[in-house]
Amino acid sequence: MQDIYESQARLRGIFNITVTPFTASGEFDFDGLARNIERVIALGYDGILIGGTYGEFPAMSSDERALLFRKVMAVVGDRLPVMLCSAGSDARVVADLTQLAGELGGLPMVTPPFVSEVTHGQIVSFFKKMAPLSRTGILVYNAPGIGITLPPVVLEELADIPGVVGIKQGDLNPTAIDQIANRLGGRLRLFCASDLAFLGPMMCGFDGISTTNSGALPELILATYRALENNDAQTARELHQLWYPYRALARRHGQPQLVKAAMNLRGFDGQHVRAPLIDLTDEVISEVRTELERLAADPRSGVTLK
């Protein structure tokens, strides 16, 4: 099993944020999840992320999350690195899931605790307690959408904690990205947490991205990332512009519900979201189909419809 140093060395490139397919009654569809994982592995993705915000972890019990970790790692093995989101508001649950993720060979992804008026000092103390629990290290997830936004000065403090191997940065403010890239680059692995606007952070020197919409558009987003990785900025820009109308729909109707709908239209295993989220209406699904048809008509996209 990998240790902290191997974990950090493998932590780079494009990671598919694998959505969690639920049946209409809210049960896990583990067979569908396995098929989705195998698809992105076959296409050449560098890693996957399981049970994050778009994986709907807040709608799962701690036992369900542990089961999800075990099922996924049984499928993936050591074929590619796996981020396993162990975030939570209860530090006891975070500790248990963080330790489990490391034992399974995944990389725990930890956010600051979701409690009101927590201080920066308390946040640093929290990460100091979590980092030693995982034999593979931990990934700090700076996720403005689900809690506290960590400023660069606090991220620098976290970078000094033994066992912190990287940061998944959700705050894409250009000033914050510039500071993080130039002050922490080379010390930690830096990941852009959004595929909606990843060209800027990658050009600043980030090590990789995590992408939810690659569940629906795996070929196109992979081609965009690989072009940028190969220093072909023009092609990357053109491909990224190609799916802007889809991104506009995602911003308007929300992820992961739009991603799952698009996956279903392509014959993938998107299935359903779990409450409190609600599946898209037929009217919106029709909009998504129209956009997928537009992309499928352009040979650059690689998109096909069933």
Side-chain angles (χ1 to χ4, degrees), residues 134-158:
S134 169
R135 65 186 310 278
T136 58
I138 66 171
L139 180 72
V140 175
Y141 183 17
N142 192 15
I146 60 169
I148 299 162
T149 301
L150 299 173
V153 64
V154 175
L155 292 174
E156 286 191 56
E157 285 191 63
L158 299 182

Side-chain angles (χ1 to χ4, degrees), residues 220-242:
L220 177 54
I221 296 177
L222 179 63
T224 307
Y225 182 84
R226 293 294 185 228
L228 196 61
E229 192 175 52
N230 293 327
N231 297 315
D232 187 353
Q234 179 175 340
T235 296
R237 184 175 62 249
E238 290 173 353
L239 290 176
H240 195 60
Q241 290 172 339
L242 184 62

Side-chain angles (χ1 to χ4, degrees), residues 31-53:
D31 290 339
L33 177 62
R35 287 189 290 269
N36 291 334
I37 290 170
E38 294 295 351
R39 180 184 310 106
V40 295
I41 291 177
L43 285 170
Y45 275 73
D46 299 307
I48 60 173
L49 189 162
I50 296 296
T53 50

Side-chain angles (χ1 to χ4, degrees), residues 53-173:
T53 50
Y54 292 146
E56 301 178 70
F57 84 82
M60 300 178 199
S61 70
S62 56
D63 287 344
E64 285 180 319
R65 296 173 71 188
L67 176 62
L68 179 64
F69 287 5
R70 291 189 175 96
K71 289 284 191 179
V72 166
M73 295 308 296
V75 171
V76 177
D78 195 42
R79 287 185 288 170
L80 77 178
V82 182
M83 299 175 185
L84 296 171
C85 180
S86 59
S89 56
D90 185 334
R92 296 166 298 180
V93 172
V94 177
D96 289 345
L97 290 175
T98 296
Q99 184 172 356
L100 174 63
E103 289 173 352
L104 293 172
L107 177 64
M109 188 175 76
V110 185
T111 62
F114 324 147
V115 292
S116 62
E117 300 186 14
V118 64
T119 67
H120 288 167
Q122 290 165 338
I123 290 170
V124 173
S125 175
F126 171 79
F127 279 102
K128 284 181 176 178
K129 292 176 181 177
M130 295 301 153
L133 299 177
S134 169
R135 65 186 310 278
T136 58
I138 66 171
L139 180 72
V140 175
Y141 183 17
N142 192 15
I146 60 169
I148 299 162
T149 301
L150 299 173
V153 64
V154 175
L155 292 174
E156 286 191 56
E157 285 191 63
L158 299 182
D160 291 330
I161 298 174
V164 172
V165 301
I167 295 170
K168 192 163 91 83
Q169 176 68 8
D171 175 12
L172 302 184
N173 177 286

